[in-house]
Structures are given as structure tokens and as C-alpha cells.
Amino acid sequence: MDAGKYPEALTHAENALSIRETVLGGTHPDVASCLNLVGKLYWLKGELAHAEPLYQRALAIYETSLGKNHPDVALSLNRLANLYRQKGLYDRAEPLYQRALAIREASLGKNHPDVALSLNSLAILYSEQGLYARAEPLYLRALAIREASLGKNHPDLAAFLNNLAILYYEQGLYGRAEPLYQRVLAIYETSLGKSHPLVAVSLNNLANLYSEQGLYDRAELLHQRALAIYETSLGKNHPDVATSLHNLANLYRQKGLYDRAEPLYQRALAIREASLGKNHPDVALSLNSLAILYSEQGLYARAEPLYLRALAIREASLSKNHPFVAASLNNLANLYSLQGLYNRAEPLHRRALAIREASLGKNHPDLATSLNNLAILYYEQGLYDRAEPLYQRALAIREASLGKNHPDVAASLHNLASLYADQGLYNRAEPLFRRSLSLRETSLGNNHPELAKSLNEFGKLRLAQHRLSDALLLFSRSFSISERRLRHEALDFSESRLSSFLSHLRNDGQWIYSLLRAHPQNARVQRFALSAALLLKGRSVSETATISRTLYFSLELEDRETFERLRGLRTQLASLSFSGPGALSPKVYQQRLQSLTQEGDELEAELAKTSAPFRALSSLPSPDNIINRVSSLLPRGSALVEFIAYNDSPLLRKPGTFSAKNLSHLRYLALVLFPDASIRSVDLGPAFPIDQAASRLRDALADKDASFQTASQQLYRSIFGPLRPLLGSTRRIFLSTDGQLSLVPFSALHDGHAFLLDSFDFSYLTSGRELLPRPLDSAPSSSVFVFADPDFSSSFSPAPSGSLPSSPSSDALKRFFSLPPSHLDRSAWVPLPGSRLEAHAIQRLLPQAQLFLGPDASKQRLLNLSTPGVLHLATHGFFLGNSSSSPSESRGLAFVDSLGGAPPPQQEPLLNSGLVLAGALSTASSSPLAPEASLVTALELAGLNLWGTQLVVLSACDTGRGEVHLGQGVYPGSVTPGTEIGLVS
């Protein structure tokens, strides 16, 4: 049985029961003992319905043969009560526990070890119901009895210490739980040895404690040690191994490391299904956690069947009214709500609410969670009359059970305030927003995402009250918090987390430009909008991840270790912020946040002293200073023009409407910054006609249409004509474009008299932020490398190093290179003899230039280069676009297809473009390594260390092509982070 082979053990136990019944008769105490064993095995298999009648029959035998007050009757009562507790039938379990306790106290004395067992069981019952005040004195009394009878270092005492630690852990009293967990671990290691399974249990508990506090590095080591002990002592397929895998997967999910969590969840699920059967409650736990993992990644279609199966198992094995069933219903309902399937979500929320109310009582925090979730569902549908009493009741429960200063109370206040604000009841909303804001500042600190949410919503209330100045102060604080978070998130290599957060920031920031449209002449609004544009524009997932990759590879070994520690701290901080306080007290939660922030800031300062790339990242000006910094770098007589494409939507809901009715429309605006830091703005109108005009001009230029001047004038009237009065006599323009305007040559615009080329000097930037200087550790490199005329038909020959350089693993890269070779049409990759002449011409101008021609113009040599001063790449480029979308659907996406029947566009933008180098044709049919050995994706090029490189030139076909992303500019055929100047053709 200890090996987890429950079916085999059950067969032997049932045979023993049959023999005893035959020999001793059906009412002998030894038959009752055997019934208890069979019942326990059914329980371990998750078949509680089979276990219950066996326990009941055993109890009846003991009462008849031994009398109702015998200690063995108490033992049988305790077992049956444990079964009912496991099924969530607390009302049936409690009188059995109490009767067992009374029998033991009367027959054995109040200080007998078995009395301690009864006290412990009753305390567990109360703890599971959230009745912590009733549980603690029972645990303490049981512990005192055990300590007196067994001594302070007995393994059985450790079990009681562990239960008391769990009680404190569940209340968020981590300072009281930790020394108990550590004492339990020490007892087990001393008395049982460091490789005993109970040591692994203790390690797991301590790891969970650290994980809840965001101490993920400490938790991970303990989880890994526990897993190793379980696998060694119990075998790799034991249910306890599954538990350890599940806990480690939870840790990785909390850190956003989904790729590491998923296989662990899947292995734990497989072990549980094989050892416990496919309908065991622990199988439901695995299914539920795997579904949460998918849901957090937006993979709703994969999450739903897992939630449904977990729910079915729990209903069958635990009863339909168990709190775990309520948890499953709640998770499934939230999944439907995320997809807007309110009609499917509502009955599930209602049923979860009813179960929790019946099983946990009317004042349990979990009941408040159900009330809150149902209220949110009604709120999102505009059913305010139905949402309000639920919000109010959830607030009352949380204040009573958690205290009036708990973060969950702040969330309830915030939700209720938003409800009133949307109905125009501003006088009722304001005091609630104020109290919620104050609580979050006190309990969560000044840089928490939930505080940013409160600031934003309170700011919108101030707008509705026509108090623009007050609103701007709140909006600015909120934006500063988000910007601070973004800088910290940039240090985490988890692209999925970066993608999610950046998408949230971009979507959440659209209203800033709507605010400018509503108040176009307000200087403070102009400044706020330009600050946001300078900091957010061009902050693509790929660019942010590139900063981390470039930074990582530029550090010395000692600094790299420091960076890893910093990255871990930032990940912990983000995860703890996202997950909320949980069971932590507000004071402990804020202390933990402050500790992580301070530790990270100290490491950041340490790294900034030695690393130029890190200084560039950490020295980015604050939202308050970015405009002054950029304007001070503008040459006299010049101006920066930031074009912005944004989704314009109402800043405030009309009372009585809900979000689905607040439709947005794509528009353009332009912000102009002068060297004296003065700002001008102009609304350019709806994006659709502007994008059409831009498309017509590009087509006319590409087709060498003689009538292109008409299209040029039309686009001029749309985008530059309204801007020209703001520029005055300024003729040197730094242009930061957006949307389809990123593909427009502004010099080719015609004002009806002449081309702008004749009047203006244009320089193009992804963002005005690029004007900021980049610190360097040393003088720029003087080396010059030229790659030209690759021999696409040459055989693959490795570089001197023998292999491609190592780089951070990327699932996106693996998916790209796993595409069948037949998906790539290489007919366009013709020889480029002219580029060889180009290379020799460069060498005549720069004699130190090192040429890589023919077969030497290879991917291996490129990726193994030391930091160049000048890098010239003359070869074919490729770009994978999407031609299926209509202009109205593409929202500014440009399509270029240089590969004919190429693979579909990749989710990672930097896998949609790249360079073609030597060996691309000859290895196409003879080597499975062809794509990896000869195609260089922009994602790989982003890993080149180009800090200190003065010039990169991409010369030849399609190397300057790219895809437009709103607020991000063009992702060109190659990315050159750290380069001072980049030229493409």
C-alpha cells in the first residue's frame, strides 16, 4: 500500500475480509478491522462512496461487540468523520469527532495521546471551514499532550507541529508558520534521515510557504529536493511524486514560466491517472491546474474541457455540494466570462455561490469571492441593480472576516465605486474610491498595479466631475507606476509575460490620446500625451526582449550572475504583484513588496556601474523628464513630429451603458516638440481615408505611375497640410511615424507647388526616444565587416567555431525552423554579383574592411562576429506577410511576400523577416539543417551585440521590408539594437 499500488492492495484486503467473515462470522471485531482497511484503500483510490458503507458497518460491529464507549469505537467514529470531512459534509463530521473526543477523554483520560488525535482532527475540521479561532486552541492542546508524552523531538510530534504551521500559513501568518515548518523538517531529518518521504513532505510545505511570499528561488530548491527524495524512495510513478511535480509546476506558473510548468503538470496528471484511477479527486486537481495554466495564456479552447472534466470528477467523488465543486464551477464561470459568454457563466456562478453558502457559512471569505464574481458578471452587462447588492454583501463579509484594512476590502470598495460612477452617482462613488485608494497605498505600497487601477478610475471620476487638473495628477501617477513596471518586466526573459503586459499597456494607454482629442489646447494634456508616446511607442515585445538578451551577453561572468539574481527578484516582484496578497496580512504583503523592490534597486544600481547597455535601460528618463531630455537634444531650428495611430473611444461611459456599446475608431494625431520644450498638437481625423491615400501613393510609386503626383498631393492634404502651420519656419524635421504612415516617403509628398524634398530635411525615427544618447563602455570599434554575394549553392561548411553560437532558447525559433523545406520558395534567391563589386569598392574606401564573399558569407560567420564598427550586409532578405486581410481588418498592417508560397506569418514579429546567406539553395534538399544553417531570422540578429557599432547597412532585395504594428513602427527585415545608424534598401 505504501508503494501506491492501491488496486493490488485492495484485492488482497478484500480476500482477507472474505476469509475472516467465513471463519469468524460477520460481527467479529477482527472483521471490523478488515472492513476499515478495505475502506481506507477505497478512500485512497478516491472512491469515497464505496468506503462509506464499509466504515459504517465497522462502527456498528464495534458498538455491538465492544460497547458504545470503547476506545475502538472512538477510532471508528474518527475514521467515518474523516470521510465526511473529505466529502465536505462538515455538519455530519463534527458530531462524530466530538463524540470520539468525549469517549477518549472519559475512557483514557484527558492527557492521553489518542485524545490529542481527536483534538487534532476536530481542529482540522474547523480550519477547513475558516474557523481559525476555534481550531488554534485545539491544535495547541493536542501539541502540549503529544509533547508531554513523546518528548520534543519525536516524529509523531512533528505531525502536530506541521498542522499548527498550516493553520498559521492559511491565515497569512508566515512569521509564525516558518519556524514551525523548520522545526518539523529538523525533527524528521534527525529522527528519520534526510531521504525519508516525510522529509519531502516537510520540504514541500516549507517551499509552498516561500512561494506564497514570492521567495521563488528558495522555494524552487526545496521543491526540487523533495521531488528527488520522492522519486528515489518511492519510485517515479508514486502519487506523492505527482504531488511534488504539481507543486513545482505551480511555482513555475506563478513565475510565468509556462513552458516549464506544462510538462510537469502533464506528468503529474499521468501518474495520478495511472496510480489512482482517472476519477480520483487528485486527478481533478491536476486537470484544474492545467486548465488555469491554459486560461492564463488565453488558450480557452484547451482549458474548457479540462475544467469540465475536473468538475465531473469532483461531483462524482466528493458530492455535488463540496467546496471543491464550487471552486471548479467558479473557475469555469470565469473562463466563460472572459469570453463574454455571460449566459453560460451566470448559472455556474450562482451554483458555486449556493454551495459555498451552504458548506462554509454566510460569512466565509470564499463566499465573498463568489458574490464578487457574480456581481462583476452583472456589472459587465450593465445590470447595475443586480450587481449592487452583491458587491455590498461581499464588502460586508470581507470587512467582518478579513478586517477593514485588507486588500480584498479595497477591491470590493473599488468595484462598488466603479458601479456608482458608471451610473453617474459621483457623490456615492467618490468616498469609496478615496477609501480604496488609501487602503491600497497602505497595504500594497505606492507602485502596485492595483493602485494604478484605482488611480485611473478615480481620475475618470474627476473627469466626469469636470475637474481636469485633478484628473491629470491621478492619471500621471498611474502612468508612472505602469512605466516602472515595464522597466522591471524588461528584465524577465519570459516573452509571453512581456507580450501580455505590453499589449495591456498599449490598449490601456489609448485613452490618453482620446483625452488629448477632448482637450486639444490644454498644455498639460499635450505634455502628458507626448510623454506617453515617447516612452511607449516602439516598445515592442521583441525590442524589450532584445534589450535583455543583448544585456545578458554583454556582461562579464560575475555581472551575469548578478543580473540573474536581479532578473529573479523582478520576476518575484511581478508575480507577487499580479497574484495579490492572498493569505498574507496587508502589513506582511507590503513589507515583502518593499523588500523585493529595494533588493532589486540595489542590484540594478550595482550593474549600472559596470554595464553600458544596462545604464541605457536603467537611465531612461522618467515620464516627468522625458520631454525635457528629448527637446534638449533637438538641434536649433528643428522639430520632432510624433504621428500616433490610436483607437479613439469615449473617455467615460454614458450612465446606463456597458462596455460593449462603447465602440472605438482608429484615428491619427500628430504632436510636435520644439527645442524649447514647447508642444503643439493637431487631430488628423479618421485613419481609414488616410490609410487609403497612403496605400494609393505607395502603389503609384511602386508602379512608376506618372500620375503619382495626384496621390501625393491628396496624402499631403491629409497628413502634412494640417501640420504645416504648427511648424512655422522649421524645416529640419525628425519624423516618428505610426500605422500606415510608417511606409510613406514624406519627401515624396507634394504641396501643389513642389515636393517636400525641396523644402524639408526629414530624419526618420521609431520614437523620439531614439534621440537620447547611448552610453558606451569604451571607444567605438574600428573593425569593418562586409558580407556580400553569398554563394547560395555552396555546400554547408561550418565556421571555425564548428557550430552556431549559443543563444537563449526560443520556442518561436524552434517552430520556425521546424517548417518543412518545401514551404520556402527559393526561386527568388538569384546570385548577386553586383554586391561583390560593392564589397570591393568599400574595401578600397576602408582598407581595414574584412570581406566575407561567396561561401564565406555564411550565417555561422555572421553570428560569431565580435562587435563591429561597421557592418555591411549585401544579400537577399525575406518577409512573411498576410495578404488575406482587408484594409478595414488589417488596422495598418503592410503585406510584402518575397517568398511566393512562404510559411504563414509567425506570431513573433521578428520571425517574419530575415536574411538569406550562403548555402540556402544547395542544402535545401540534402540537409535537414538547411533553414537553420542559412536563414538568419531577425530574432537571431537581435541577439548580436551591436553596442558600439556606428553603422549597419542592409543592402539588396527586401532587407528593408517589414510589417506595421500600431505604436511600434515597422519591424524591418533585420533588427540592429544598439547601432547608432542603420541604413536599409
Side-chain angles (χ1 to χ4, degrees), residues 43 74 77-86 90 92-104 117-126:
W43 182 341
L77 286 165
N78 209 70
R79 285 174 178 149
L80 186 57
N82 286 341
L83 180 78
Y84 289 144
R85 178 177 58 81
Q86 181 73 13
Y90 301 128
R92 298 178 66 178
E94 184 176 6
L96 299 182
Y97 280 136
Q98 289 172 333
R99 186 182 159 201
L101 174 60
I103 291 172
R104 284 171 165 167
L117 290 174
S118 278
L119 291 165
N120 185 68
S121 297
L122 191 55
I124 292 172
L125 178 77
Y126 292 145

Side-chain angles (χ1 to χ4, degrees), residues 257-279:
L257 303 175
Y258 300 130
D259 292 342
R260 297 178 69 178
E262 184 177 6
L264 299 181
Y265 278 136
Q266 290 171 331
R267 186 182 160 202
L269 174 61
I271 291 172
R272 284 170 167 167
E273 287 183 323
S275 61
L276 304 175
K278 293 191 173 183
N279 297 312

Side-chain angles (χ1 to χ4, degrees), residues 99-174:
R99 186 182 159 201
L101 174 60
I103 291 172
R104 284 171 165 167
E105 285 183 323
S107 61
L108 303 173
K110 292 190 174 184
N111 294 315
H112 192 278
D114 287 355
V115 170
L117 290 174
S118 278
L119 291 165
N120 185 68
S121 297
L122 191 55
I124 292 172
L125 178 77
Y126 292 145
S127 181
E128 288 186 1
Q129 296 175 85
L131 303 172
Y132 304 125
R134 297 177 68 180
E136 184 178 8
L138 299 180
Y139 276 137
L140 291 171
R141 186 183 159 201
L143 185 61
I145 293 172
R146 280 285 182 170
E147 203 162 25
S149 60
L150 300 174
K152 293 189 175 184
N153 297 306
H154 195 280
D156 288 350
L157 177 69
F160 283 71
L161 289 165
N162 188 71
N163 289 341
L164 183 59
I166 291 172
L167 178 79
Y168 294 143
Y169 166 81
E170 289 175 346
Q171 296 176 84
L173 303 174
Y174 298 142

Side-chain angles (χ1 to χ4, degrees), residues 452-512:
K453 187 186 299 183
S454 281
L455 291 164
N456 251 340
E457 292 302 314
F458 195 15
K460 290 178 181 178
L461 176 70
R462 287 298 188 224
L463 273 185
Q465 296 173 320
H466 307 291
R467 297 171 63 174
L468 177 61
S469 181
D470 291 341
L472 281 173
L473 290 174
L474 296 166
F475 290 149
S476 297
R477 274 191 70 193
S478 175
F479 182 76
S480 295
I481 292 171
S482 296
E483 171 62 23
R484 179 183 175 86
R485 286 178 61 208
L486 176 56
R487 297 182 195 201
H488 291 173
E489 289 295 313
L491 302 182
D492 185 353
F493 289 175
S494 172
E495 291 182 12
S496 59
R497 171 171 289 174
L498 282 170
S499 177
S500 174
F501 183 49
L502 283 163
S503 175
H504 164 74
L505 281 186
R506 285 195 295 271
N507 293 334
D508 209 41
Q510 299 290 295
W511 64 268
I512 296 174

Side-chain angles (χ1 to χ4, degrees), residues 20-336:
R20 286 190 176 182
E21 285 182 314
T22 301
V23 174
L24 303 174
T27 60
H28 195 279
D30 287 351
V31 171
S33 176
C34 212
L35 286 165
N36 278 327
L37 175 60
V38 175
K40 180 179 180 180
L41 287 167
Y42 274 120
W43 182 341
L44 291 172
K45 289 181 77 225
E47 299 178 23
L48 303 185
H50 285 84
E52 183 178 355
L54 297 170
Y55 281 146
Q56 289 172 332
R57 186 180 160 202
L59 174 60
I61 291 173
Y62 281 136
E63 287 182 323
T64 301
S65 61
L66 303 175
K68 292 190 175 185
N69 295 313
H70 193 279
D72 286 351
V73 171
L75 179 61
S76 198
L77 286 165
N78 209 70
R79 285 174 178 149
L80 186 57
N82 286 341
L83 180 78
Y84 289 144
R85 178 177 58 81
Q86 181 73 13
K87 295 176 71 174
L89 303 174
Y90 301 128
D91 291 341
R92 298 178 66 178
E94 184 176 6
L96 299 182
Y97 280 136
Q98 289 172 333
R99 186 182 159 201
L101 174 60
I103 291 172
R104 284 171 165 167
E105 285 183 323
S107 61
L108 303 173
K110 292 190 174 184
N111 294 315
H112 192 278
D114 287 355
V115 170
L117 290 174
S118 278
L119 291 165
N120 185 68
S121 297
L122 191 55
I124 292 172
L125 178 77
Y126 292 145
S127 181
E128 288 186 1
Q129 296 175 85
L131 303 172
Y132 304 125
R134 297 177 68 180
E136 184 178 8
L138 299 180
Y139 276 137
L140 291 171
R141 186 183 159 201
L143 185 61
I145 293 172
R146 280 285 182 170
E147 203 162 25
S149 60
L150 300 174
K152 293 189 175 184
N153 297 306
H154 195 280
D156 288 350
L157 177 69
F160 283 71
L161 289 165
N162 188 71
N163 289 341
L164 183 59
I166 291 172
L167 178 79
Y168 294 143
Y169 166 81
E170 289 175 346
Q171 296 176 84
L173 303 174
Y174 298 142
R176 299 176 70 178
E178 184 176 2
L180 294 176
Y181 278 138
Q182 290 173 332
R183 185 180 166 196
V184 171
L185 177 60
I187 291 172
Y188 281 146
E189 287 183 325
T190 301
S191 59
L192 303 175
K194 293 190 175 183
S195 298
H196 194 277
L198 285 176
V199 170
V201 172
S202 190
L203 289 166
N204 260 327
N205 289 338
L206 191 55
N208 288 336
L209 176 79
Y210 291 145
S211 182
E212 280 296 315
Q213 297 175 83
L215 302 170
Y216 297 122
D217 291 341
R218 296 172 70 179
E220 184 175 1
L221 292 173
L222 297 180
H223 277 313
Q224 289 172 336
R225 185 183 159 202
L227 177 60
I229 292 172
Y230 278 136
E231 288 184 323
T232 301
S233 60
L234 303 176
K236 293 191 174 184
N237 296 312
H238 192 278
D240 288 349
V241 171
T243 298
S244 199
L245 289 165
H246 188 270
N247 288 337
L248 186 56
N250 283 341
L251 175 72
Y252 290 143
R253 178 176 61 79
Q254 289 170 339
K255 293 176 69 175
L257 303 175
Y258 300 130
D259 292 342
R260 297 178 69 178
E262 184 177 6
L264 299 181
Y265 278 136
Q266 290 171 331
R267 186 182 160 202
L269 174 61
I271 291 172
R272 284 170 167 167
E273 287 183 323
S275 61
L276 304 175
K278 293 191 173 183
N279 297 312
H280 193 279
D282 287 354
V283 170
L285 182 63
S286 280
L287 292 165
N288 189 70
S289 296
L290 193 54
I292 292 172
L293 180 80
Y294 292 144
S295 182
E296 287 181 357
Q297 298 175 80
L299 304 173
Y300 303 135
R302 297 179 70 178
E304 183 182 7
L306 300 179
Y307 277 140
L308 288 169
R309 188 180 159 206
L311 174 61
I313 292 172
R314 284 173 167 172
E315 287 182 323
S317 61
L318 300 175
S319 86
K320 293 189 175 183
N321 296 312
H322 193 282
F324 285 177
V325 171
S328 279
L329 290 165
N330 187 71
N331 290 338
L332 188 57
N334 286 337
L335 180 75
Y336 291 145

Side-chain angles (χ1 to χ4, degrees), residues 541-825:
V541 178
S542 305
E543 180 188 74
T544 311
T546 295
I547 291 172
S548 291
R549 283 195 294 269
T550 305
L551 170 60
Y552 183 81
F553 286 115
S554 72
L555 296 175
E556 299 298 329
L557 179 60
E558 182 179 349
D559 288 337
R560 192 175 296 185
E561 291 173 354
T562 304
F563 175 71
E564 286 289 1
R565 286 165 51 209
L566 174 60
R567 177 184 158 210
L569 285 170
R570 294 308 192 207
T571 302
Q572 292 172 35
L573 181 62
S575 297
L576 191 61
S577 297
F578 289 145
S579 62
L584 279 171
S585 68
K587 182 178 179 181
V588 172
Y589 182 59
Q590 184 171 354
Q591 286 174 345
R592 186 63 199 138
L593 289 175
Q594 290 174 344
S595 173
L596 287 170
T597 300
Q598 183 177 349
E599 265 189 278
D601 289 345
E602 289 172 357
L603 288 179
E604 186 175 315
E606 181 181 335
L607 279 173
K609 294 175 183 176
T610 58
S611 167
F614 196 89
R615 286 200 299 277
L617 176 62
S618 62
S619 64
L620 193 63
S622 69
D624 292 336
N625 296 325
I626 183 73
I627 290 176
N628 291 337
R629 288 283 301 278
V630 171
S631 64
S632 68
L633 297 167
L634 286 169
R636 181 179 300 178
S638 70
L640 167 68
V641 178
E642 288 278 359
F643 284 97
I644 297 165
Y646 70 102
N647 284 301
D648 183 48
S649 58
L651 289 168
L652 302 169
R653 291 186 186 181
K654 294 180 181 179
T657 65
F658 61 100
S659 57
K661 294 182 180 178
N662 291 323
L663 301 177
S664 62
H665 304 279
L666 195 63
R667 297 181 70 88
Y668 281 105
L669 65 84
L671 284 157
V672 184
L673 176 65
F674 295 96
D676 63 358
S678 62
I679 303 169
R680 302 287 184 272
S681 67
V682 60
D683 176 42
L684 300 176
F688 183 70
I690 293 175
D691 288 344
Q692 282 190 318
S695 181
R696 283 192 292 269
L697 176 59
R698 288 199 315 274
D699 291 343
L701 290 171
D703 296 339
K704 299 180 180 179
D705 191 333
S707 64
F708 81 91
Q709 189 169 315
T710 301
S712 176
Q713 290 179 9
Q714 182 184 8
L715 186 57
Y716 170 86
R717 288 192 295 271
S718 296
I719 64 172
F720 208 83
L723 183 65
R724 198 157 187 168
L726 277 60
L727 295 173
S729 60
T730 302
R731 291 295 177 263
R732 185 175 182 189
I733 309 298
F734 292 90
L735 279 178
S736 170
T737 55
D738 201 358
Q740 287 287 347
L741 300 186
S742 298
L743 302 173
V744 170
F746 275 66
S747 296
L749 298 182
H750 198 285
D751 63 5
H753 302 286
F755 291 105
L756 296 189
L757 175 66
D758 299 326
S759 306
F760 291 90
D761 177 11
F762 292 114
S763 298
Y764 294 89
L765 307 168
T766 300
S767 163
R769 186 178 63 254
E770 293 180 357
L771 292 169
L772 297 172
R774 295 166 178 165
L776 293 174
D777 281 326
S778 57
S781 172
S782 61
S783 60
V784 179
F785 298 115
V786 180
F787 285 69
D789 190 21
D791 186 351
F792 302 122
S793 299
S794 67
S795 299
F796 170 72
S797 58
S801 62
S803 64
L804 295 175
S806 61
S807 61
S809 62
S810 167
D811 288 337
L813 275 176
K814 293 176 184 175
R815 287 194 298 271
F816 177 84
F817 287 123
S818 68
L819 292 168
S822 60
H823 279 66
L824 292 171
D825 180 4

Side-chain angles (χ1 to χ4, degrees), residues 894-926:
F895 168 68
V896 180
D897 184 356
S898 62
L899 298 184
Q906 307 293 301
Q907 289 183 347
E908 163 57 60
L910 295 186
L911 288 181
N912 284 329
S913 55
L915 301 176
V916 184
L917 292 173
L921 294 178
S922 71
T923 57
S925 59
S926 61

